[in-house]
């Protein structure tokens, strides 16, 4: 049986027809290793990146970009959250804020105060895979479902 993380369990239960769960080994959880080992395209990976705004105030926001893309942190991410200074959340911050496991953090099941942004290139994929809150499972879903379930804002982020 595939392990379902407690932060995404309710979402999975109520959206089983839209979410496909995939079990993976911890050592293959990171995007490139997962793609290589299980034979999936890196272009179908949707990485969830937690960014910390430092100025004018401190808060966190989640940015989702394809595994083949790079988030433009210093320009587009800053502009999206109207921040003057940002950094990547540390492992400890990410786990504390999301209540999920680093290396498998999902845009699903996050606290409501974390705004979510999805790069517009994600919408060009038929299906993407995302973390499922832990390092031993992934979700496969359509980009439209990702946006719907996270109430994300779609922007050019790369």
């Amino acid at each position: 049986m595939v392990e379902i993380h407690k932060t995404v369990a309710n979402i999975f239960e109520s959206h089983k027809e839209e979410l496909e769960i995939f079990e993976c080994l911890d050592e293959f959880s990171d995007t490139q290793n997962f793609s290589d080992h299980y034979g999936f395209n890196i272009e179908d990976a949707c990485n969830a990146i937690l960014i910390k705004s430092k100025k004018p105030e401190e808060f966190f926001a989640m940015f989702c970009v394809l595994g083949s893309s790079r988030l433009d942190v210093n320009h587009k991410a800053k502009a999206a959250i109207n921040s003057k200074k940002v950094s990547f959340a540390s492992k400890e911050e990410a786990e504390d804020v999301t209540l999920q496991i680093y290396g498998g953090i999902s845009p699903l099941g996050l606290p409501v105060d974390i705004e979510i942004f999805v790069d517009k290139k994600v919408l060009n994929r038929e299906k993407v895979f995302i973390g499922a809150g832990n390092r031993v499972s992934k979700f496969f879903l359509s980009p439209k479902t990702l946006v719907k379930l996270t109430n994300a804002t779609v922007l050019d982020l790369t």
Side-chain angles (χ1 to χ4, degrees):
M1 184 171 166
V2 180
E3 182 180 324
I4 306 291
H5 193 269
K6 63 184 178 186
T7 60
V8 299
N10 288 340
I11 294 168
F12 179 65
E13 282 302 314
S14 58
H15 295 280
K16 280 185 177 179
E17 68 284 350
E18 298 169 283
L19 296 170
E20 179 185 338
I21 190 91
F22 185 93
E23 185 174 23
C24 64
L25 296 171
D26 181 288
E27 61 264 30
F28 300 117
S29 183
D30 295 330
T31 305
Q32 188 66 59
N33 290 339
F34 180 85
S35 297
D36 292 345
H37 183 76
Y38 295 105
F40 294 107
N41 285 328
I42 193 80
E43 292 84 9
D44 291 327
C46 186
N47 289 332
I49 303 164
L50 192 65
I51 298 293
K52 179 180 180 178
S53 172
K54 295 180 173 182
K55 289 185 181 178
E57 60 183 289
E58 192 172 291
F59 63 91
F60 294 89
M62 175 72 66
F63 292 86
C64 300
V65 299
L66 294 176
S68 56
S69 298
R70 286 187 161 241
L71 174 64
D72 181 349
V73 177
N74 290 318
H75 299 98
K76 295 178 181 180
K78 270 182 169 177
I81 60 175
N82 197 24
S83 182
K84 294 180 187 207
K85 187 174 182 181
V86 298
S87 67
F88 292 100
S90 70
K91 177 183 186 276
E92 294 76 20
E93 288 171 326
E95 289 185 342
D96 287 346
V97 169
T98 66
L99 304 176
Q100 298 180 4
I101 308 300
Y102 195 81
I105 292 176
S106 180
L108 302 179
L110 296 179
V112 294
D113 62 334
I114 298 177
E115 194 169 0
I116 301 168
F117 299 89
V118 173
D119 183 51
K120 68 180 186 177
K121 290 179 185 167
V122 172
L123 297 181
N124 295 333
R125 308 307 298 175
E126 186 177 323
K127 231 181 209 184
V128 293
F129 60 88
I130 60 173
N134 58 37
R135 293 183 56 86
V136 294
S137 55
K138 303 279 185 198
F139 285 128
F140 284 78
L141 69 167
S142 75
K144 286 182 181 178
T145 298
L146 174 64
V147 171
K148 178 182 85 173
L149 294 181
T150 59
N151 197 28
T153 301
V154 177
L155 296 171
D156 176 11
L157 298 170
T158 57

